[in-house]
Amino acid sequence: MRRTLGAALLALTVASSGRAQQARPDSAAIPDKQLFHRSDLYVAAGFALGTVAMFPLDKHFAQQIQNPNLQTNTSLQHLADAARFFGGPGPVIIGPSMYVVGRLAHVPHLAELGLHGTEALAVGGGITAVLKIVAGRARPSFSSDTNPRDFGLGRGRKDQYASFPSGHATMAFSAAAAVVAETHEWWPQSTWYVAPVMFGGATAVGLSRMYNNQHWASDVVMGAAIGTFAGLKTVRFNHTHTGNRIDRLLLGTRVVPTPNGTALAWNVTW
Protein backbone atom coordinates (compact mmCIF):
# COMPACT_ATOMS: atom_id res chain seq x y z
CA MET A 1 0.00 0.00 0.00
CA ARG A 2 2.94 2.31 0.55
CA ARG A 3 3.75 1.82 -3.12
CA THR A 4 0.16 2.72 -4.02
CA LEU A 5 0.30 5.91 -2.00
CA GLY A 6 3.69 6.80 -3.43
CA ALA A 7 2.47 6.15 -6.96
CA ALA A 8 -0.59 8.33 -6.44
CA LEU A 9 1.45 11.25 -5.20
CA LEU A 10 4.05 10.72 -7.92
CA ALA A 11 1.22 11.02 -10.43
CA LEU A 12 0.23 14.29 -8.76
CA THR A 13 3.80 15.56 -9.17
CA VAL A 14 3.94 14.59 -12.82
CA ALA A 15 0.53 16.15 -13.49
CA SER A 16 1.56 19.39 -11.81
CA SER A 17 4.84 19.48 -13.71
CA GLY A 18 3.04 18.86 -16.97
CA ARG A 19 0.51 21.55 -16.18
CA ALA A 20 3.32 24.01 -15.44
CA GLN A 21 4.98 23.32 -18.76
CA GLN A 22 1.68 23.55 -20.63
CA ALA A 23 0.46 26.75 -18.98
CA ARG A 24 3.75 28.60 -18.50
CA PRO A 25 3.47 32.28 -19.30
CA ASP A 26 5.41 32.48 -22.55
CA SER A 27 4.69 36.03 -23.71
CA ALA A 28 5.86 35.35 -27.23
CA ALA A 29 3.51 32.40 -27.63
CA ILE A 30 0.57 33.99 -25.81
CA PRO A 31 -0.19 37.38 -27.39
CA ASP A 32 -3.51 37.85 -25.57
CA LYS A 33 -3.89 39.01 -21.97
CA GLN A 34 -6.67 36.61 -21.07
CA LEU A 35 -5.84 35.08 -17.71
CA PHE A 36 -8.10 32.02 -17.88
CA HIS A 37 -8.94 29.78 -20.82
CA ARG A 38 -11.37 26.93 -21.32
CA SER A 39 -8.57 24.42 -20.84
CA ASP A 40 -8.12 25.74 -17.29
CA LEU A 41 -11.71 24.76 -16.54
CA TYR A 42 -11.01 21.20 -17.67
CA VAL A 43 -7.87 20.98 -15.56
CA ALA A 44 -9.67 22.41 -12.51
CA ALA A 45 -12.49 19.91 -13.01
CA GLY A 46 -9.92 17.12 -13.20
CA PHE A 47 -8.34 18.18 -9.91
CA ALA A 48 -11.78 18.47 -8.30
CA LEU A 49 -12.77 15.00 -9.47
CA GLY A 50 -9.43 13.66 -8.28
CA THR A 51 -10.03 15.13 -4.85
CA VAL A 52 -13.52 13.63 -4.65
CA ALA A 53 -12.20 10.28 -5.87
CA MET A 54 -9.65 10.37 -3.06
CA PHE A 55 -12.28 10.70 -0.32
CA PRO A 56 -13.04 6.95 -0.10
CA LEU A 57 -9.30 6.25 0.18
CA ASP A 58 -8.50 8.89 2.78
CA LYS A 59 -9.02 6.67 5.80
CA HIS A 60 -7.05 3.80 4.27
CA PHE A 61 -4.09 6.04 3.36
CA ALA A 62 -4.13 7.59 6.82
CA GLN A 63 -4.01 4.19 8.51
CA GLN A 64 -1.18 3.04 6.27
CA ILE A 65 1.01 6.10 6.78
CA GLN A 66 0.41 5.98 10.54
CA ASN A 67 1.89 2.49 10.64
CA PRO A 68 4.12 2.26 13.75
CA ASN A 69 7.04 1.04 11.64
CA LEU A 70 6.90 4.28 9.63
CA GLN A 71 6.16 6.55 12.57
CA THR A 72 9.15 5.30 14.60
CA ASN A 73 11.56 5.67 11.69
CA THR A 74 13.86 8.52 12.74
CA SER A 75 14.98 9.23 9.18
CA LEU A 76 11.39 9.76 8.07
CA GLN A 77 10.75 11.93 11.12
CA HIS A 78 13.68 14.20 10.22
CA LEU A 79 12.62 14.33 6.57
CA ALA A 80 9.07 15.27 7.55
CA ASP A 81 10.35 18.04 9.82
CA ALA A 82 12.58 19.43 7.05
CA ALA A 83 9.84 19.22 4.42
CA ARG A 84 7.32 20.93 6.68
CA PHE A 85 9.53 24.03 6.81
CA PHE A 86 9.17 24.49 3.05
CA GLY A 87 5.40 24.46 3.32
CA GLY A 88 5.20 26.75 6.33
CA PRO A 89 7.59 29.58 7.14
CA GLY A 90 10.05 28.66 4.40
CA PRO A 91 8.35 30.21 1.34
CA VAL A 92 7.22 33.24 3.36
CA ILE A 93 10.84 33.91 4.34
CA ILE A 94 12.51 32.95 1.07
CA GLY A 95 10.26 34.90 -1.32
CA PRO A 96 10.60 38.36 0.26
CA SER A 97 14.30 37.69 0.94
CA MET A 98 14.90 36.97 -2.74
CA TYR A 99 13.11 40.19 -3.63
CA VAL A 100 15.17 42.29 -1.22
CA VAL A 101 18.48 40.71 -2.25
CA GLY A 102 17.59 41.09 -5.93
CA ARG A 103 16.77 44.77 -5.49
CA LEU A 104 19.86 45.55 -3.42
CA ALA A 105 22.20 43.53 -5.65
CA HIS A 106 20.61 44.88 -8.86
CA VAL A 107 19.61 41.41 -10.09
CA PRO A 108 16.21 42.04 -11.76
CA HIS A 109 15.35 38.37 -12.35
CA LEU A 110 15.89 37.51 -8.69
CA ALA A 111 13.78 40.45 -7.52
CA GLU A 112 11.04 39.57 -9.98
CA LEU A 113 11.02 35.94 -8.90
CA GLY A 114 10.86 36.91 -5.24
CA LEU A 115 8.02 39.39 -5.77
CA HIS A 116 5.87 37.23 -8.04
CA GLY A 117 6.47 34.17 -5.88
CA THR A 118 5.32 36.08 -2.81
CA GLU A 119 2.24 37.27 -4.68
CA ALA A 120 1.46 33.66 -5.59
CA LEU A 121 1.70 32.67 -1.92
CA ALA A 122 -0.75 35.42 -1.01
CA VAL A 123 -3.24 34.35 -3.70
CA GLY A 124 -3.05 30.64 -2.90
CA GLY A 125 -3.02 31.21 0.85
CA GLY A 126 -6.05 33.49 0.67
CA ILE A 127 -8.12 30.98 -1.29
CA THR A 128 -7.12 28.15 1.02
CA ALA A 129 -7.91 30.16 4.16
CA VAL A 130 -11.47 30.81 2.96
CA LEU A 131 -12.03 27.16 1.99
CA LYS A 132 -10.71 25.97 5.36
CA ILE A 133 -13.24 28.12 7.21
CA VAL A 134 -16.12 27.08 4.98
CA ALA A 135 -15.35 23.33 4.86
CA GLY A 136 -14.56 22.92 8.58
CA ARG A 137 -13.07 19.47 8.11
CA ALA A 138 -11.65 17.75 11.19
CA ARG A 139 -7.98 16.88 11.04
CA PRO A 140 -7.19 13.14 11.20
CA SER A 141 -5.32 13.74 14.48
CA PHE A 142 -8.49 15.23 16.01
CA SER A 143 -11.09 12.89 14.54
CA SER A 144 -11.65 10.36 17.33
CA ASP A 145 -13.02 7.69 15.01
CA THR A 146 -10.68 8.58 12.14
CA ASN A 147 -13.61 9.82 10.10
CA PRO A 148 -12.54 11.67 6.90
CA ARG A 149 -16.14 12.78 6.28
CA ASP A 150 -16.27 14.97 9.38
CA PHE A 151 -17.07 18.34 7.73
CA GLY A 152 -18.84 21.26 9.40
CA LEU A 153 -19.84 24.41 7.57
CA GLY A 154 -18.06 27.47 8.95
CA ARG A 155 -16.22 25.85 11.84
CA GLY A 156 -12.81 25.97 10.17
CA ARG A 157 -11.76 28.99 12.24
CA LYS A 158 -10.61 26.47 14.83
CA ASP A 159 -7.35 24.75 13.89
CA GLN A 160 -8.62 21.25 14.63
CA TYR A 161 -11.28 21.77 11.97
CA ALA A 162 -8.99 23.39 9.38
CA SER A 163 -7.89 20.27 7.56
CA PHE A 164 -9.30 20.92 4.06
CA PRO A 165 -7.41 21.91 2.02
CA SER A 166 -3.79 21.62 3.15
CA GLY A 167 -2.26 25.04 3.66
CA HIS A 168 1.28 23.66 3.61
CA ALA A 169 0.64 21.92 0.29
CA THR A 170 -0.88 25.11 -1.11
CA MET A 171 2.14 27.19 -0.12
CA ALA A 172 4.65 24.64 -1.38
CA PHE A 173 2.93 24.20 -4.75
CA SER A 174 2.36 27.96 -5.13
CA ALA A 175 6.08 28.55 -4.72
CA ALA A 176 6.99 25.64 -6.98
CA ALA A 177 4.68 26.73 -9.80
CA ALA A 178 5.85 30.35 -9.56
CA VAL A 179 9.52 29.33 -9.72
CA VAL A 180 8.95 27.05 -12.71
CA ALA A 181 6.90 29.62 -14.61
CA GLU A 182 9.16 32.56 -13.78
CA THR A 183 12.45 30.86 -14.57
CA HIS A 184 11.03 29.73 -17.91
CA GLU A 185 10.75 33.38 -18.90
CA TRP A 186 14.50 33.90 -18.86
CA TRP A 187 15.83 30.33 -18.97
CA PRO A 188 13.35 28.24 -21.04
CA GLN A 189 15.53 25.15 -21.26
CA SER A 190 15.53 24.82 -17.47
CA THR A 191 11.88 23.77 -17.24
CA TRP A 192 12.46 20.09 -17.91
CA TYR A 193 14.52 19.68 -14.74
CA VAL A 194 13.41 22.62 -12.58
CA ALA A 195 9.77 21.46 -12.70
CA PRO A 196 10.37 17.90 -11.39
CA VAL A 197 12.66 19.19 -8.63
CA MET A 198 10.29 21.92 -7.47
CA PHE A 199 7.10 19.86 -7.69
CA GLY A 200 8.85 16.83 -6.22
CA GLY A 201 9.81 18.93 -3.20
CA ALA A 202 6.26 20.27 -2.93
CA THR A 203 4.92 16.71 -2.98
CA ALA A 204 7.29 15.84 -0.13
CA VAL A 205 5.72 18.69 1.86
CA GLY A 206 2.26 17.21 1.31
CA LEU A 207 3.48 13.77 2.37
CA SER A 208 5.03 15.22 5.51
CA ARG A 209 1.66 16.63 6.56
CA MET A 210 0.05 13.23 6.12
CA TYR A 211 2.94 11.61 7.98
CA ASN A 212 2.39 14.04 10.87
CA ASN A 213 -1.33 13.09 10.82
CA GLN A 214 -2.42 16.66 10.12
CA HIS A 215 -4.08 16.12 6.75
CA TRP A 216 -5.95 13.57 4.69
CA ALA A 217 -4.69 12.69 1.22
CA SER A 218 -7.54 14.62 -0.43
CA ASP A 219 -6.53 17.73 1.56
CA VAL A 220 -3.10 17.53 -0.03
CA VAL A 221 -4.47 17.01 -3.54
CA MET A 222 -6.72 20.06 -3.31
CA GLY A 223 -3.97 22.16 -1.76
CA ALA A 224 -1.66 21.15 -4.60
CA ALA A 225 -4.28 22.13 -7.18
CA ILE A 226 -4.87 25.55 -5.62
CA GLY A 227 -1.16 26.22 -5.25
CA THR A 228 -0.33 25.20 -8.80
CA PHE A 229 -3.00 27.44 -10.27
CA ALA A 230 -2.05 30.33 -7.97
CA GLY A 231 1.60 30.17 -9.00
CA LEU A 232 0.99 29.80 -12.72
CA LYS A 233 -1.74 32.41 -12.97
CA THR A 234 0.08 34.98 -10.86
CA VAL A 235 3.17 34.78 -13.05
CA ARG A 236 1.08 34.71 -16.21
CA PHE A 237 -0.77 37.85 -15.16
CA ASN A 238 2.45 39.71 -14.45
CA HIS A 239 3.98 38.74 -17.79
CA THR A 240 0.89 39.48 -19.86
CA HIS A 241 0.23 42.74 -18.01
CA THR A 242 3.74 44.12 -17.97
CA GLY A 243 4.04 47.43 -16.21
CA ASN A 244 1.15 46.76 -13.82
CA ARG A 245 1.14 49.09 -10.86
CA ILE A 246 2.61 46.66 -8.32
CA ASP A 247 5.52 45.82 -10.63
CA ARG A 248 6.07 49.48 -11.44
CA LEU A 249 6.14 50.39 -7.79
CA LEU A 250 8.17 47.49 -6.39
CA LEU A 251 10.37 46.55 -9.33
CA GLY A 252 10.82 50.01 -10.81
CA THR A 253 12.12 51.64 -7.62
CA ARG A 254 15.76 51.89 -6.65
CA VAL A 255 17.88 53.45 -3.94
CA VAL A 256 20.22 56.12 -5.37
CA PRO A 257 22.97 58.19 -3.70
CA THR A 258 22.42 61.91 -3.17
CA PRO A 259 24.59 64.67 -1.69
CA ASN A 260 22.62 64.33 1.55
CA GLY A 261 22.65 60.54 1.72
CA THR A 262 20.29 58.27 -0.22
CA ALA A 263 16.87 58.63 -1.73
CA LEU A 264 14.24 56.38 -3.26
CA ALA A 265 13.82 56.88 -7.00
CA TRP A 266 11.57 55.12 -9.47
CA ASN A 267 10.61 54.97 -13.10
CA VAL A 268 6.84 54.91 -13.40
CA THR A 269 4.96 54.80 -16.69
CA TRP A 270 1.26 55.44 -16.16
Side-chain angles (χ1 to χ4, degrees):
M1 179 47 62
R2 275 177 277 174
R3 293 180 180 178
T4 303
L5 177 58
L9 289 164
L10 177 61
L12 172 62
T13 302
V14 173
S16 300
S17 300
R19 179 61 186 160
Q21 296 184 43
Q22 176 187 359
R24 58 186 180 245
D26 190 337
S27 300
I30 306 174
D32 66 278
K33 294 186 178 182
Q34 185 176 344
L35 188 58
F36 293 99
H37 294 82
R38 180 173 297 181
S39 60
D40 294 322
L41 179 62
Y42 299 147
V43 173
F47 271 116
L49 290 174
T51 301
V52 173
M54 190 70 70
F55 283 160
L57 301 174
D58 275 336
K59 184 173 182 177
H60 184 69
F61 282 153
Q63 291 173 339
Q64 291 296 316
I65 206 167
Q66 292 306 307
N67 184 301
N69 292 329
L70 295 179
Q71 291 297 313
T72 56
N73 187 309
T74 55
S75 296
L76 289 178
Q77 292 172 3
H78 293 321
L79 286 173
D81 290 341
R84 190 167 61 252
F85 171 80
F86 290 99
V92 178
I93 295 172
I94 294 171
S97 298
M98 292 174 65
Y99 167 75
V100 172
V101 172
R103 296 294 290 137
L104 294 177
H106 304 292
V107 183
H109 289 319
L110 184 61
E112 194 172 355
L113 176 58
L115 175 60
H116 297 164
T118 302
E119 290 174 344
L121 295 177
V123 172
I127 295 172
T128 294
V130 172
L131 289 178
K132 279 178 175 290
I133 293 174
V134 173
R137 190 184 201 184
R139 295 184 184 276
S141 59
F142 183 74
S143 181
S144 59
D145 60 350
T146 318
N147 178 18
R149 295 180 177 83
D150 188 0
F151 288 85
L153 184 64
R155 67 180 184 179
R157 291 182 178 84
K158 296 181 179 180
D159 183 68
Q160 61 265 37
Y161 295 114
S163 186
F164 181 85
S166 168
H168 281 69
T170 298
M171 299 294 273
F173 276 87
S174 294
V179 168
V180 172
E182 195 67 58
T183 55
H184 173 79
E185 284 295 316
W186 46 273
W187 195 8
Q189 64 271 27
S190 69
T191 304
W192 71 271
Y193 57 86
V194 171
V197 170
M198 294 304 300
F199 284 111
T203 301
V205 171
L207 280 171
S208 75
R209 298 301 284 163
M210 294 173 60
Y211 181 80
N212 294 141
N213 206 28
Q214 293 300 303
H215 285 291
W216 308 98
S218 55
D219 298 337
V220 173
V221 173
M222 181 54 71
I226 294 171
T228 300
F229 268 93
L232 294 178
K233 295 306 178 181
T234 298
V235 173
R236 176 183 171 85
F237 173 83
N238 283 293
H239 284 277
T240 55
H241 295 74
T242 54
N244 62 78
R245 293 193 177 190
I246 294 178
D247 274 7
R248 287 200 301 265
L249 177 62
L250 298 179
L251 295 177
T253 59
R254 65 188 187 281
V255 176
V256 297
T258 68
N260 298 322
T262 60
L264 190 66
W266 60 91
N267 296 321
V268 180
T269 303
W270 296 97

